[in-house]
Amino acid sequence: MPVEQDGGTDASSESVSENANRKSLSDQFSELVKDVRTLANVELEYYRTKLSVNMAATKTVLTLFALGSAFGLMTVIALVLGLIMIAAHYYGPIAATGLVTGGALLLTTILIAMAIKRARKLPLDEEEQ
């Protein structure tokens, strides 16, 4: 019957099992490469999904903006026609059309002039200052 010493047989069996569990450097490197590829594929799929969700939301937002703009334009047209009808009661249809059109052109000219004036003040190129 073999006599076991303190740690004699147990220590040698632990070192043998440790060596069996250790993998070579090339095996560890190949597993690392595999893990990195898996991570890259998962990240790529995540961003594809995120992009598709954002694209769907963007399409919805743009559709709502286009509809809102169309209704806003229809409202402005209705306002102009209403102003023409009101002014036609007092000045006649030709004068009313001229007044409303002239007023709209005057307002347009003032707003465009203000926009141009502010655009010229923008610091587009800091080197020329």
Side-chain angles (χ1 to χ4, degrees), residues 2-66:
V3 178
E4 291 186 27
Q5 299 176 354
D6 290 334
T9 311
D10 292 334
S12 64
S13 66
E14 285 178 12
S15 64
V16 170
S17 65
E18 250 181 53
N19 288 336
N21 288 336
R22 288 187 190 173
K23 296 179 182 175
S24 69
L25 185 59
S26 62
D27 289 341
Q28 289 178 357
F29 187 73
S30 65
E31 285 183 15
L32 177 64
V33 168
K34 179 183 170 189
D35 289 344
V36 169
R37 283 184 182 159
T38 303
L39 176 64
N41 288 332
V42 169
E43 287 282 331
L44 186 62
E45 190 61 33
Y46 167 75
Y47 284 111
R48 281 183 184 158
T49 305
K50 187 176 179 180
L51 179 65
S52 73
V53 168
N54 286 337
M55 289 300 290
T58 302
K59 286 178 185 177
T60 303
V61 167
L62 289 176
T63 302
L64 291 174
F65 181 77

Tab-separated table of all heavy atoms in Angstrom, residues 2-66:
chain	number	residue	atom	x	y	z
A	2	PRO	N	0.682	2.144	-0.945
A	2	PRO	CA	1.541	3.328	-1.003
A	2	PRO	C	1.197	4.289	0.106
A	2	PRO	O	0.052	4.481	0.453
A	2	PRO	CB	1.270	3.934	-2.370
A	2	PRO	CG	0.013	3.335	-2.854
A	2	PRO	CD	-0.223	2.106	-2.076
A	3	VAL	N	2.202	4.876	0.637
A	3	VAL	CA	2.031	5.835	1.713
A	3	VAL	C	2.099	7.226	1.102
A	3	VAL	O	3.045	7.582	0.398
A	3	VAL	CB	3.144	5.672	2.773
A	3	VAL	CG1	2.963	6.711	3.855
A	3	VAL	CG2	3.116	4.270	3.329
A	4	GLU	N	1.065	8.043	1.378
A	4	GLU	CA	1.034	9.401	0.843
A	4	GLU	C	1.687	10.336	1.826
A	4	GLU	O	1.455	10.276	3.014
A	4	GLU	CB	-0.417	9.836	0.606
A	4	GLU	CG	-1.096	9.091	-0.521
A	4	GLU	CD	-2.472	9.644	-0.814
A	4	GLU	OE1	-2.706	10.840	-0.541
A	4	GLU	OE2	-3.303	8.899	-1.302
A	5	GLN	N	2.518	11.173	1.283
A	5	GLN	CA	3.135	12.189	2.117
A	5	GLN	C	2.308	13.456	1.992
A	5	GLN	O	1.502	13.610	1.090
A	5	GLN	CB	4.571	12.440	1.658
A	5	GLN	CG	5.436	11.207	1.763
A	5	GLN	CD	6.817	11.483	1.193
A	5	GLN	OE1	7.061	12.527	0.638
A	5	GLN	NE2	7.696	10.509	1.333
A	6	ASP	N	2.546	14.383	2.904
A	6	ASP	CA	1.801	15.638	2.881
A	6	ASP	C	2.100	16.393	1.597
A	6	ASP	O	3.187	16.915	1.394
A	6	ASP	CB	2.163	16.512	4.085
A	6	ASP	CG	1.642	15.924	5.374
A	6	ASP	OD1	0.648	15.174	5.330
A	6	ASP	OD2	2.238	16.235	6.397
A	7	GLY	N	1.154	16.427	0.706
A	7	GLY	CA	1.277	17.205	-0.521
A	7	GLY	C	2.093	16.534	-1.588
A	7	GLY	O	2.257	17.076	-2.662
A	8	GLY	N	2.639	15.373	-1.381
A	8	GLY	CA	3.499	14.744	-2.364
A	8	GLY	C	2.746	14.332	-3.604
A	8	GLY	O	3.004	14.795	-4.692
A	9	THR	N	1.812	13.417	-3.480
A	9	THR	CA	1.065	12.907	-4.619
A	9	THR	C	0.040	13.923	-5.092
A	9	THR	O	-0.167	14.084	-6.278
A	9	THR	CB	0.352	11.604	-4.230
A	9	THR	OG1	1.280	10.743	-3.598
A	9	THR	CG2	-0.247	10.929	-5.423
A	10	ASP	N	-0.581	14.641	-4.167
A	10	ASP	CA	-1.598	15.628	-4.523
A	10	ASP	C	-0.996	16.772	-5.333
A	10	ASP	O	-1.584	17.231	-6.302
A	10	ASP	CB	-2.278	16.189	-3.268
A	10	ASP	CG	-3.114	15.118	-2.565
A	10	ASP	OD1	-3.544	14.185	-3.266
A	10	ASP	OD2	-3.324	15.254	-1.353
A	11	ALA	N	0.178	17.237	-4.981
A	11	ALA	CA	0.808	18.369	-5.667
A	11	ALA	C	1.171	17.997	-7.089
A	11	ALA	O	0.999	18.777	-8.016
A	11	ALA	CB	2.046	18.827	-4.911
A	12	SER	N	1.687	16.773	-7.300
A	12	SER	CA	2.078	16.371	-8.649
A	12	SER	C	0.852	16.167	-9.532
A	12	SER	O	0.871	16.469	-10.719
A	12	SER	CB	2.935	15.113	-8.612
A	12	SER	OG	2.170	14.041	-8.096
A	13	SER	N	-0.258	15.697	-8.971
A	13	SER	CA	-1.473	15.511	-9.769
A	13	SER	C	-2.087	16.859	-10.144
A	13	SER	O	-2.653	17.014	-11.217
A	13	SER	CB	-2.485	14.644	-9.037
A	13	SER	OG	-2.944	15.300	-7.878
A	14	GLU	N	-1.953	17.868	-9.268
A	14	GLU	CA	-2.463	19.206	-9.584
A	14	GLU	C	-1.664	19.837	-10.710
A	14	GLU	O	-2.223	20.466	-11.595
A	14	GLU	CB	-2.399	20.108	-8.342
A	14	GLU	CG	-3.467	19.789	-7.319
A	14	GLU	CD	-3.342	20.667	-6.100
A	14	GLU	OE1	-2.578	21.656	-6.141
A	14	GLU	OE2	-4.016	20.374	-5.103
A	15	SER	N	-0.332	19.668	-10.710
A	15	SER	CA	0.475	20.268	-11.767
A	15	SER	C	0.216	19.591	-13.104
A	15	SER	O	0.237	20.229	-14.150
A	15	SER	CB	1.959	20.216	-11.406
A	15	SER	OG	2.381	18.872	-11.335
A	16	VAL	N	-0.064	18.286	-13.089
A	16	VAL	CA	-0.385	17.586	-14.338
A	16	VAL	C	-1.714	18.085	-14.887
A	16	VAL	O	-1.861	18.331	-16.083
A	16	VAL	CB	-0.414	16.060	-14.099
A	16	VAL	CG1	-0.980	15.329	-15.311
A	16	VAL	CG2	0.968	15.555	-13.764
A	17	SER	N	-2.713	18.267	-14.017
A	17	SER	CA	-4.020	18.738	-14.486
A	17	SER	C	-3.930	20.199	-14.943
A	17	SER	O	-4.614	20.602	-15.872
A	17	SER	CB	-5.084	18.571	-13.410
A	17	SER	OG	-4.788	19.401	-12.303
A	18	GLU	N	-3.062	21.014	-14.311
A	18	GLU	CA	-2.856	22.404	-14.733
A	18	GLU	C	-2.258	22.449	-16.122
A	18	GLU	O	-2.669	23.235	-16.965
A	18	GLU	CB	-1.916	23.124	-13.750
A	18	GLU	CG	-2.589	24.166	-12.920
A	18	GLU	CD	-1.594	24.854	-12.002
A	18	GLU	OE1	-0.572	25.345	-12.491
A	18	GLU	OE2	-1.864	24.885	-10.803
A	19	ASN	N	-1.269	21.599	-16.379
A	19	ASN	CA	-0.645	21.553	-17.703
A	19	ASN	C	-1.645	21.102	-18.760
A	19	ASN	O	-1.594	21.546	-19.910
A	19	ASN	CB	0.572	20.639	-17.700
A	19	ASN	CG	1.733	21.245	-16.938
A	19	ASN	OD1	1.822	22.457	-16.785
A	19	ASN	ND2	2.617	20.393	-16.434
A	20	ALA	N	-2.548	20.206	-18.400
A	20	ALA	CA	-3.548	19.743	-19.359
A	20	ALA	C	-4.550	20.851	-19.672
A	20	ALA	O	-5.059	20.933	-20.784
A	20	ALA	CB	-4.266	18.523	-18.815
A	21	ASN	N	-4.852	21.691	-18.678
A	21	ASN	CA	-5.805	22.781	-18.884
A	21	ASN	C	-5.194	23.954	-19.636
A	21	ASN	O	-5.912	24.750	-20.212
A	21	ASN	CB	-6.364	23.269	-17.547
A	21	ASN	CG	-7.322	22.272	-16.935
A	21	ASN	OD1	-7.913	21.464	-17.638
A	21	ASN	ND2	-7.469	22.327	-15.628
A	22	ARG	N	-3.902	24.096	-19.579
A	22	ARG	CA	-3.249	25.194	-20.290
A	22	ARG	C	-3.309	24.941	-21.781
A	22	ARG	O	-3.143	23.825	-22.252
A	22	ARG	CB	-1.782	25.318	-19.864
A	22	ARG	CG	-1.619	25.853	-18.491
A	22	ARG	CD	-0.168	26.093	-18.225
A	22	ARG	NE	0.039	26.399	-16.832
A	22	ARG	CZ	1.211	26.526	-16.276
A	22	ARG	NH1	2.306	26.351	-16.985
A	22	ARG	NH2	1.323	26.827	-15.005
A	23	LYS	N	-3.543	26.032	-22.526
A	23	LYS	CA	-3.591	25.917	-23.972
A	23	LYS	C	-2.362	26.594	-24.543
A	23	LYS	O	-1.778	27.485	-23.928
A	23	LYS	CB	-4.855	26.596	-24.508
A	23	LYS	CG	-6.121	25.926	-24.033
A	23	LYS	CD	-7.326	26.646	-24.564
A	23	LYS	CE	-8.583	25.971	-24.038
A	23	LYS	NZ	-9.775	26.700	-24.425
A	24	SER	N	-2.028	26.196	-25.713
A	24	SER	CA	-0.856	26.803	-26.338
A	24	SER	C	-1.182	28.241	-26.725
A	24	SER	O	-2.337	28.645	-26.812
A	24	SER	CB	-0.446	26.001	-27.574
A	24	SER	OG	-1.426	26.159	-28.589
A	25	LEU	N	-0.154	29.018	-26.968
A	25	LEU	CA	-0.306	30.425	-27.318
A	25	LEU	C	-1.064	30.577	-28.628
A	25	LEU	O	-1.913	31.454	-28.774
A	25	LEU	CB	1.081	31.090	-27.409
A	25	LEU	CG	1.090	32.594	-27.640
A	25	LEU	CD1	0.347	33.305	-26.517
A	25	LEU	CD2	2.511	33.102	-27.735
A	26	SER	N	-0.797	29.710	-29.584
A	26	SER	CA	-1.501	29.800	-30.874
A	26	SER	C	-2.987	29.477	-30.707
A	26	SER	O	-3.834	30.103	-31.353
A	26	SER	CB	-0.864	28.871	-31.904
A	26	SER	OG	-0.964	27.540	-31.468
A	27	ASP	N	-3.341	28.529	-29.811
A	27	ASP	CA	-4.746	28.235	-29.553
A	27	ASP	C	-5.435	29.420	-28.891
A	27	ASP	O	-6.561	29.772	-29.247
A	27	ASP	CB	-4.882	27.006	-28.656
A	27	ASP	CG	-4.508	25.714	-29.370
A	27	ASP	OD1	-4.497	25.728	-30.623
A	27	ASP	OD2	-4.230	24.718	-28.678
A	28	GLN	N	-4.754	30.043	-27.930
A	28	GLN	CA	-5.330	31.211	-27.262
A	28	GLN	C	-5.515	32.362	-28.250
A	28	GLN	O	-6.529	33.059	-28.238
A	28	GLN	CB	-4.429	31.652	-26.106
A	28	GLN	CG	-4.440	30.705	-24.932
A	28	GLN	CD	-3.498	31.157	-23.827
A	28	GLN	OE1	-2.792	32.152	-23.960
A	28	GLN	NE2	-3.498	30.410	-22.726
A	29	PHE	N	-4.526	32.549	-29.138
A	29	PHE	CA	-4.609	33.623	-30.120
A	29	PHE	C	-5.759	33.369	-31.104
A	29	PHE	O	-6.506	34.293	-31.447
A	29	PHE	CB	-3.286	33.761	-30.875
A	29	PHE	CG	-3.243	34.945	-31.778
A	29	PHE	CD1	-3.127	36.233	-31.272
A	29	PHE	CD2	-3.350	34.775	-33.154
A	29	PHE	CE1	-3.096	37.332	-32.107
A	29	PHE	CE2	-3.323	35.868	-34.004
A	29	PHE	CZ	-3.193	37.148	-33.473
A	30	SER	N	-5.929	32.120	-31.530
A	30	SER	CA	-7.020	31.805	-32.459
A	30	SER	C	-8.381	31.998	-31.783
A	30	SER	O	-9.331	32.463	-32.412
A	30	SER	CB	-6.873	30.395	-33.011
A	30	SER	OG	-7.019	29.448	-31.984
A	31	GLU	N	-8.479	31.675	-30.502
A	31	GLU	CA	-9.722	31.927	-29.774
A	31	GLU	C	-9.982	33.414	-29.628
A	31	GLU	O	-11.116	33.872	-29.732
A	31	GLU	CB	-9.672	31.262	-28.398
A	31	GLU	CG	-9.854	29.767	-28.433
A	31	GLU	CD	-9.871	29.145	-27.054
A	31	GLU	OE1	-10.036	29.899	-26.058
A	31	GLU	OE2	-9.736	27.919	-26.957
A	32	LEU	N	-8.924	34.187	-29.398
A	32	LEU	CA	-9.062	35.644	-29.303
A	32	LEU	C	-9.548	36.222	-30.630
A	32	LEU	O	-10.456	37.055	-30.662
A	32	LEU	CB	-7.721	36.285	-28.913
A	32	LEU	CG	-7.701	37.808	-28.838
A	32	LEU	CD1	-8.631	38.300	-27.741
A	32	LEU	CD2	-6.286	38.297	-28.613
A	33	VAL	N	-8.980	35.770	-31.724
A	33	VAL	CA	-9.398	36.240	-33.046
A	33	VAL	C	-10.860	35.875	-33.285
A	33	VAL	O	-11.645	36.676	-33.795
A	33	VAL	CB	-8.480	35.655	-34.145
A	33	VAL	CG1	-9.050	35.891	-35.527
A	33	VAL	CG2	-7.085	36.229	-34.031
A	34	LYS	N	-11.245	34.673	-32.902
A	34	LYS	CA	-12.630	34.227	-33.065
A	34	LYS	C	-13.563	35.109	-32.240
A	34	LYS	O	-14.628	35.519	-32.718
A	34	LYS	CB	-12.747	32.765	-32.638
A	34	LYS	CG	-14.142	32.202	-32.753
A	34	LYS	CD	-14.179	30.773	-32.249
A	34	LYS	CE	-15.606	30.293	-32.137
A	34	LYS	NZ	-15.709	29.005	-31.467
A	35	ASP	N	-13.173	35.416	-31.002
A	35	ASP	CA	-13.988	36.265	-30.142
A	35	ASP	C	-14.106	37.680	-30.713
A	35	ASP	O	-15.178	38.297	-30.680
A	35	ASP	CB	-13.414	36.328	-28.727
A	35	ASP	CG	-13.583	35.008	-27.970
A	35	ASP	OD1	-14.394	34.172	-28.422
A	35	ASP	OD2	-12.892	34.826	-26.948
A	36	VAL	N	-13.017	38.208	-31.255
A	36	VAL	CA	-13.051	39.549	-31.836
A	36	VAL	C	-13.952	39.581	-33.063
A	36	VAL	O	-14.721	40.522	-33.269
A	36	VAL	CB	-11.618	40.028	-32.180
A	36	VAL	CG1	-11.636	41.282	-33.030
A	36	VAL	CG2	-10.827	40.272	-30.903
A	37	ARG	N	-13.892	38.538	-33.882
A	37	ARG	CA	-14.780	38.472	-35.056
A	37	ARG	C	-16.241	38.398	-34.622
A	37	ARG	O	-17.100	39.051	-35.204
A	37	ARG	CB	-14.431	37.260	-35.909
A	37	ARG	CG	-13.202	37.455	-36.734
A	37	ARG	CD	-12.946	36.270	-37.628
A	37	ARG	NE	-11.705	36.469	-38.378
A	37	ARG	CZ	-11.007	35.527	-38.930
A	37	ARG	NH1	-11.397	34.263	-38.828
A	37	ARG	NH2	-9.907	35.800	-39.597
A	38	THR	N	-16.509	37.605	-33.613
A	38	THR	CA	-17.879	37.502	-33.106
A	38	THR	C	-18.353	38.851	-32.585
A	38	THR	O	-19.470	39.285	-32.884
A	38	THR	CB	-17.962	36.443	-31.993
A	38	THR	OG1	-17.484	35.191	-32.495
A	38	THR	CG2	-19.385	36.284	-31.496
A	39	LEU	N	-17.505	39.525	-31.825
A	39	LEU	CA	-17.853	40.847	-31.300
A	39	LEU	C	-18.094	41.826	-32.436
A	39	LEU	O	-19.063	42.594	-32.415
A	39	LEU	CB	-16.747	41.369	-30.378
A	39	LEU	CG	-16.945	42.784	-29.839
A	39	LEU	CD1	-18.177	42.837	-28.945
A	39	LEU	CD2	-15.712	43.244	-29.098
A	40	ALA	N	-17.244	41.823	-33.447
A	40	ALA	CA	-17.402	42.732	-34.586
A	40	ALA	C	-18.708	42.456	-35.321
A	40	ALA	O	-19.430	43.384	-35.701
A	40	ALA	CB	-16.213	42.598	-35.536
A	41	ASN	N	-19.050	41.182	-35.520
A	41	ASN	CA	-20.303	40.844	-36.197
A	41	ASN	C	-21.512	41.281	-35.388
A	41	ASN	O	-22.492	41.789	-35.943
A	41	ASN	CB	-20.373	39.347	-36.490
A	41	ASN	CG	-19.440	38.936	-37.597
A	41	ASN	OD1	-19.121	39.728	-38.473
A	41	ASN	ND2	-18.984	37.693	-37.557
A	42	VAL	N	-21.453	41.098	-34.079
A	42	VAL	CA	-22.558	41.509	-33.221
A	42	VAL	C	-22.700	43.032	-33.230
A	42	VAL	O	-23.812	43.565	-33.326
A	42	VAL	CB	-22.364	40.974	-31.780
A	42	VAL	CG1	-23.339	41.603	-30.817
A	42	VAL	CG2	-22.496	39.463	-31.767
A	43	GLU	N	-21.569	43.745	-33.139
A	43	GLU	CA	-21.601	45.211	-33.189
A	43	GLU	C	-22.163	45.697	-34.524
A	43	GLU	O	-22.964	46.624	-34.563
A	43	GLU	CB	-20.203	45.789	-32.984
A	43	GLU	CG	-19.689	45.692	-31.572
A	43	GLU	CD	-20.294	46.741	-30.664
A	43	GLU	OE1	-20.648	47.827	-31.142
A	43	GLU	OE2	-20.409	46.457	-29.459
A	44	LEU	N	-21.748	45.077	-35.619
A	44	LEU	CA	-22.228	45.452	-36.944
A	44	LEU	C	-23.734	45.243	-37.044
A	44	LEU	O	-24.459	46.110	-37.542
A	44	LEU	CB	-21.499	44.627	-38.013
A	44	LEU	CG	-21.776	44.976	-39.457
A	44	LEU	CD1	-21.335	46.401	-39.766
A	44	LEU	CD2	-21.047	44.004	-40.366
A	45	GLU	N	-24.215	44.127	-36.560
A	45	GLU	CA	-25.654	43.864	-36.589
A	45	GLU	C	-26.416	44.856	-35.718
A	45	GLU	O	-27.499	45.306	-36.075
A	45	GLU	CB	-25.923	42.428	-36.127
A	45	GLU	CG	-27.336	41.969	-36.336
A	45	GLU	CD	-27.761	41.985	-37.795
A	45	GLU	OE1	-26.918	41.733	-38.676
A	45	GLU	OE2	-28.947	42.273	-38.044
A	46	TYR	N	-25.835	45.221	-34.575
A	46	TYR	CA	-26.456	46.210	-33.690
A	46	TYR	C	-26.613	47.544	-34.407
A	46	TYR	O	-27.680	48.155	-34.382
A	46	TYR	CB	-25.613	46.374	-32.420
A	46	TYR	CG	-25.986	47.579	-31.598
A	46	TYR	CD1	-27.150	47.576	-30.831
A	46	TYR	CD2	-25.186	48.714	-31.575
A	46	TYR	CE1	-27.498	48.678	-30.074
A	46	TYR	CE2	-25.535	49.811	-30.824
A	46	TYR	CZ	-26.688	49.796	-30.075
A	46	TYR	OH	-27.028	50.891	-29.334
A	47	TYR	N	-25.545	48.014	-35.056
A	47	TYR	CA	-25.615	49.300	-35.737
A	47	TYR	C	-26.513	49.249	-36.966
A	47	TYR	O	-27.159	50.237	-37.307
A	47	TYR	CB	-24.217	49.810	-36.082
A	47	TYR	CG	-23.511	50.344	-34.864
A	47	TYR	CD1	-22.414	49.692	-34.321
A	47	TYR	CD2	-23.960	51.487	-34.218
A	47	TYR	CE1	-21.779	50.166	-33.189
A	47	TYR	CE2	-23.348	51.966	-33.079
A	47	TYR	CZ	-22.251	51.304	-32.575
A	47	TYR	OH	-21.645	51.779	-31.447
A	48	ARG	N	-26.584	48.104	-37.646
A	48	ARG	CA	-27.528	47.965	-38.770
A	48	ARG	C	-28.958	48.092	-38.271
A	48	ARG	O	-29.784	48.773	-38.878
A	48	ARG	CB	-27.342	46.619	-39.450
A	48	ARG	CG	-26.180	46.568	-40.388
A	48	ARG	CD	-26.118	45.221	-41.080
A	48	ARG	NE	-24.932	45.143	-41.916
A	48	ARG	CZ	-24.370	44.030	-42.298
A	48	ARG	NH1	-24.876	42.874	-41.923
A	48	ARG	NH2	-23.301	44.044	-43.062
A	49	THR	N	-29.260	47.428	-37.175
A	49	THR	CA	-30.602	47.501	-36.604
A	49	THR	C	-30.923	48.909	-36.143
A	49	THR	O	-32.014	49.432	-36.401
A	49	THR	CB	-30.729	46.515	-35.427
A	49	THR	OG1	-30.385	45.208	-35.871
A	49	THR	CG2	-32.129	46.513	-34.859
A	50	LYS	N	-29.961	49.532	-35.483
A	50	LYS	CA	-30.159	50.901	-35.004
A	50	LYS	C	-30.390	51.849	-36.178
A	50	LYS	O	-31.263	52.720	-36.121
A	50	LYS	CB	-28.923	51.328	-34.199
A	50	LYS	CG	-29.058	52.644	-33.498
A	50	LYS	CD	-27.830	52.927	-32.647
A	50	LYS	CE	-27.931	54.253	-31.958
A	50	LYS	NZ	-26.764	54.543	-31.128
A	51	LEU	N	-29.634	51.682	-37.266
A	51	LEU	CA	-29.793	52.529	-38.442
A	51	LEU	C	-31.153	52.329	-39.086
A	51	LEU	O	-31.803	53.298	-39.481
A	51	LEU	CB	-28.677	52.238	-39.450
A	51	LEU	CG	-28.718	53.043	-40.742
A	51	LEU	CD1	-28.500	54.523	-40.442
A	51	LEU	CD2	-27.661	52.547	-41.707
A	52	SER	N	-31.610	51.087	-39.179
A	52	SER	CA	-32.914	50.843	-39.801
A	52	SER	C	-34.038	51.451	-38.966
A	52	SER	O	-34.993	51.992	-39.516
A	52	SER	CB	-33.137	49.357	-40.025
A	52	SER	OG	-33.380	48.700	-38.809
A	53	VAL	N	-33.922	51.374	-37.646
A	53	VAL	CA	-34.930	51.979	-36.777
A	53	VAL	C	-34.900	53.493	-36.934
A	53	VAL	O	-35.948	54.144	-37.057
A	53	VAL	CB	-34.703	51.571	-35.301
A	53	VAL	CG1	-35.536	52.417	-34.359
A	53	VAL	CG2	-35.009	50.102	-35.111
A	54	ASN	N	-33.695	54.080	-36.968
A	54	ASN	CA	-33.582	55.529	-37.129
A	54	ASN	C	-34.075	55.979	-38.500
A	54	ASN	O	-34.669	57.047	-38.626
A	54	ASN	CB	-32.140	55.983	-36.908
A	54	ASN	CG	-31.752	55.943	-35.448
A	54	ASN	OD1	-32.611	55.989	-34.569
A	54	ASN	ND2	-30.472	55.863	-35.179
A	55	MET	N	-33.828	55.177	-39.543
A	55	MET	CA	-34.300	55.540	-40.874
A	55	MET	C	-35.824	55.521	-40.921
A	55	MET	O	-36.439	56.396	-41.528
A	55	MET	CB	-33.721	54.597	-41.929
A	55	MET	CG	-32.243	54.799	-42.184
A	55	MET	SD	-31.843	56.450	-42.776
A	55	MET	CE	-32.544	56.379	-44.405
A	56	ALA	N	-36.429	54.552	-40.282
A	56	ALA	CA	-37.889	54.490	-40.247
A	56	ALA	C	-38.460	55.695	-39.505
A	56	ALA	O	-39.433	56.310	-39.952
A	56	ALA	CB	-38.351	53.192	-39.593
A	57	ALA	N	-37.841	56.053	-38.394
A	57	ALA	CA	-38.297	57.221	-37.633
A	57	ALA	C	-38.086	58.500	-38.434
A	57	ALA	O	-38.933	59.402	-38.425
A	57	ALA	CB	-37.557	57.298	-36.302
A	58	THR	N	-36.970	58.586	-39.152
A	58	THR	CA	-36.688	59.771	-39.967
A	58	THR	C	-37.702	59.901	-41.094
A	58	THR	O	-38.174	61.005	-41.387
A	58	THR	CB	-35.261	59.692	-40.546
A	58	THR	OG1	-34.336	59.581	-39.462
A	58	THR	CG2	-34.927	60.911	-41.364
A	59	LYS	N	-38.062	58.788	-41.722
A	59	LYS	CA	-39.079	58.833	-42.779
A	59	LYS	C	-40.408	59.331	-42.223
A	59	LYS	O	-41.096	60.123	-42.857
A	59	LYS	CB	-39.253	57.458	-43.409
A	59	LYS	CG	-38.114	57.052	-44.310
A	59	LYS	CD	-38.328	55.658	-44.866
A	59	LYS	CE	-37.136	55.202	-45.680
A	59	LYS	NZ	-37.292	53.830	-46.180
A	60	THR	N	-40.770	58.873	-41.048
A	60	THR	CA	-42.015	59.315	-40.424
A	60	THR	C	-41.975	60.808	-40.130
A	60	THR	O	-42.927	61.538	-40.412
A	60	THR	CB	-42.275	58.525	-39.126
A	60	THR	OG1	-42.303	57.137	-39.430
A	60	THR	CG2	-43.576	58.933	-38.482
A	61	VAL	N	-40.852	61.274	-39.582
A	61	VAL	CA	-40.710	62.691	-39.262
A	61	VAL	C	-40.786	63.539	-40.531
A	61	VAL	O	-41.473	64.566	-40.565
A	61	VAL	CB	-39.382	62.946	-38.500
A	61	VAL	CG1	-39.061	64.415	-38.434
A	61	VAL	CG2	-39.455	62.356	-37.107
A	62	LEU	N	-40.100	63.121	-41.584
A	62	LEU	CA	-40.121	63.884	-42.834
A	62	LEU	C	-41.508	63.883	-43.466
A	62	LEU	O	-41.934	64.900	-44.033
A	62	LEU	CB	-39.079	63.335	-43.805
A	62	LEU	CG	-37.627	63.610	-43.435
A	62	LEU	CD1	-36.681	62.940	-44.430
A	62	LEU	CD2	-37.360	65.101	-43.377
A	63	THR	N	-42.216	62.781	-43.385
A	63	THR	CA	-43.580	62.729	-43.908
A	63	THR	C	-44.492	63.686	-43.151
A	63	THR	O	-45.264	64.440	-43.761
A	63	THR	CB	-44.133	61.290	-43.824
A	63	THR	OG1	-43.269	60.421	-44.545
A	63	THR	CG2	-45.540	61.200	-44.370
A	64	LEU	N	-44.381	63.674	-41.824
A	64	LEU	CA	-45.196	64.589	-41.021
A	64	LEU	C	-44.831	66.045	-41.303
A	64	LEU	O	-45.704	66.908	-41.371
A	64	LEU	CB	-45.027	64.273	-39.533
A	64	LEU	CG	-45.626	62.949	-39.069
A	64	LEU	CD1	-45.259	62.683	-37.612
A	64	LEU	CD2	-47.134	62.946	-39.248
A	65	PHE	N	-43.531	66.323	-41.489
A	65	PHE	CA	-43.103	67.687	-41.799
A	65	PHE	C	-43.647	68.131	-43.155
A	65	PHE	O	-44.105	69.265	-43.308
A	65	PHE	CB	-41.569	67.778	-41.790
A	65	PHE	CG	-41.057	69.152	-42.070
A	65	PHE	CD1	-41.078	70.128	-41.091
A	65	PHE	CD2	-40.550	69.468	-43.315
A	65	PHE	CE1	-40.615	71.404	-41.349
A	65	PHE	CE2	-40.082	70.740	-43.594
A	65	PHE	CZ	-40.112	71.714	-42.611
A	66	ALA	N	-43.618	67.243	-44.149
A	66	ALA	CA	-44.131	67.579	-45.476
A	66	ALA	C	-45.638	67.847	-45.422
A	66	ALA	O	-46.122	68.815	-46.034
A	66	ALA	CB	-43.825	66.454	-46.455
